[in-house]
Amino acid sequence: MMTFLPKLLLLVLLAFPATIIMKGPLVAAQDATEDEEAADEDAVEDVDVNDEDDEAEVEDDENTELTEEKEEEEEEAVGGDVKASPNADTTILFVKGDDFPANDIVKFLMGFTNKGSDNFVVESLDASFRYPQDFQFYIQNFTALQLGVVVPAGRQATFEYSFIPAEPMGGRPFGLVINLNYKDSNGNLFQDAVFNQTVTITEREDALDGETIFMYVFLSGLGLLVVVGLHQLLESRKVEHSESQKRIRASTTTFLRNMEVDRERGGFGFSYFVEKQE
């Protein structure tokens, strides 16, 4: 037994360092494996971030394209596919200037000049108010003026048109679009957006609305009540003054009668009163 213990101790001393030496490389290998997995995860995250950035850039490009398409649609909504003829020239003049009062007549004159060699037939003239952020949305559409006027080559023509902005539109901006539709002798249609700008509808200062009329009626009634009250007060004062005068006269008459009676009876009452008064 004693001979076996030293051999066992020697075996343990030899086996324990070998275990430590073998475990060290295994731990190092595990650490290296974990580092490689962490690096792979970081690489995957970087790839995901790059993919998200690419998707965001694609979305921005798509939004930009949609915005450009929307602007093109608005321009097409205003002018349409029909364009103006290069052989025609148009001008516009608002009679009252750039003032667009609500619930009032707005009148303008439009001039048309035929600069070509063929005749033009001016068919119609129309106007409309549109939403300033989206010209495809009509706020108020006015009746088109049917003309059917032939303008020969090298000649001019002037047309008059008037419209009335709605009263609730006062104090707000709207897009005003005025189109002139015409065709040439070959039947080709043309449309000229003579006026296409944002204008502000003003409120009429001289307009009498319901509130103003009610205020005037109320003030008139109040003034009439004040006049009637003052008249009644003066009349009551006059009545009181006349009654007091009557009472004073009656008292004076009674006093004089009593004095006359005393004078007749004794002969001293009235004279005594007169002397005292002197």
Side-chain angles (χ1 to χ4, degrees):
M1 185 68 180
M2 295 298 293
T3 59
F4 181 73
L5 286 176
K7 293 180 179 180
L8 182 61
L9 181 61
L10 179 60
L11 182 61
V12 171
L13 292 176
L14 292 174
F16 182 73
T19 303
I20 294 176
I21 292 171
M22 292 178 64
K23 186 177 180 180
L26 182 61
V27 173
Q30 291 178 354
D31 294 337
T33 303
E34 292 178 355
D35 293 336
E36 291 178 357
E37 292 177 354
D40 294 336
E41 291 178 356
D42 295 335
V44 172
E45 291 179 356
D46 293 336
V47 172
D48 294 337
V49 171
N50 293 329
D51 293 338
E52 291 178 356
D53 294 336
D54 294 336
E55 291 177 356
E57 291 177 357
V58 171
E59 290 179 356
D60 294 336
D61 295 336
E62 291 178 354
N63 293 331
T64 304
E65 292 177 357
L66 291 175
T67 304
E68 293 177 354
E69 291 177 357
K70 185 177 180 181
E71 292 177 355
E72 292 177 357
E73 290 177 357
E74 290 180 355
E75 293 178 356
E76 292 178 356
V78 174
D81 295 335
V82 183
K83 303 296 182 180
S85 173
N87 296 324
D89 190 13
T90 56
T91 57
I92 187 170
L93 174 64
F94 289 94
V95 177
K96 296 182 180 180
D98 295 334
D99 187 19
F100 300 90
N103 199 23
D104 196 5
I105 298 176
V106 177
K107 184 183 297 184
F108 63 86
L109 300 176
M110 179 174 295
F112 181 83
T113 304
N114 187 352
K115 300 186 297 182
S117 58
D118 297 331
N119 296 338
F120 281 109
V121 179
V122 181
E123 293 186 335
S124 62
L125 176 63
D126 61 82
S128 61
F129 280 113
R130 307 189 185 187
Y131 190 62
Q133 279 72 30
D134 186 4
F135 272 61
Q136 292 181 342
F137 186 74
Y138 286 76
I139 302 297
Q140 187 178 9
N141 192 17
F142 302 103
T143 303
L145 178 62
Q146 302 298 328
L147 299 172
V149 178
V150 178
V151 181
R155 301 296 296 273
Q156 295 180 348
T158 303
F159 309 101
E160 179 181 339
Y161 189 89
S162 60
F163 58 92
I164 300 177
E167 185 175 1
M169 297 170 59
R172 288 180 289 180
F174 294 97
L176 176 60
V177 178
I178 300 174
N179 295 321
L180 182 66
N181 304 300
Y182 56 96
K183 64 181 180 180
D184 58 10
S185 57
N186 297 324
N188 298 320
L189 298 178
F190 300 97
Q191 185 182 73
D192 189 0
V194 184
F195 191 86
N196 181 19
Q197 296 180 14
T198 301
V199 298
T200 301
I201 309 301
T202 58
E203 297 180 357
R204 293 183 57 183
E205 297 180 355
D206 56 345
L208 294 177
D209 53 358
E211 296 180 357
T212 305
I213 295 175
F214 176 78
M215 182 182 66
Y216 287 152
V217 172
F218 176 76
L219 292 177
S220 300
L222 183 62
L224 182 62
L225 289 176
V226 171
V227 172
V228 172
L230 292 176
H231 179 72
Q232 294 293 334
L233 181 61
L234 293 176
E235 289 294 330
S236 62
R237 291 287 182 86
K238 289 181 180 179
V239 171
E240 291 178 357
H241 181 70
S242 61
E243 291 180 354
S244 62
Q245 290 291 333
K246 289 180 181 179
R247 288 195 296 269
I248 292 173
R249 290 172 184 172
S251 300
T252 303
T253 302
T254 304
F255 177 75
L256 292 176
R257 287 178 181 177
N258 292 332
M259 293 298 295
E260 186 65 25
V261 171
D262 291 339
R263 186 180 66 80
E264 290 177 356
R265 291 179 179 178
F268 61 89
F270 181 76
S271 60
Y272 175 76
F273 175 77
V274 172
E275 291 177 357
K276 295 295 288 183
Q277 292 292 327
E278 294 177 353

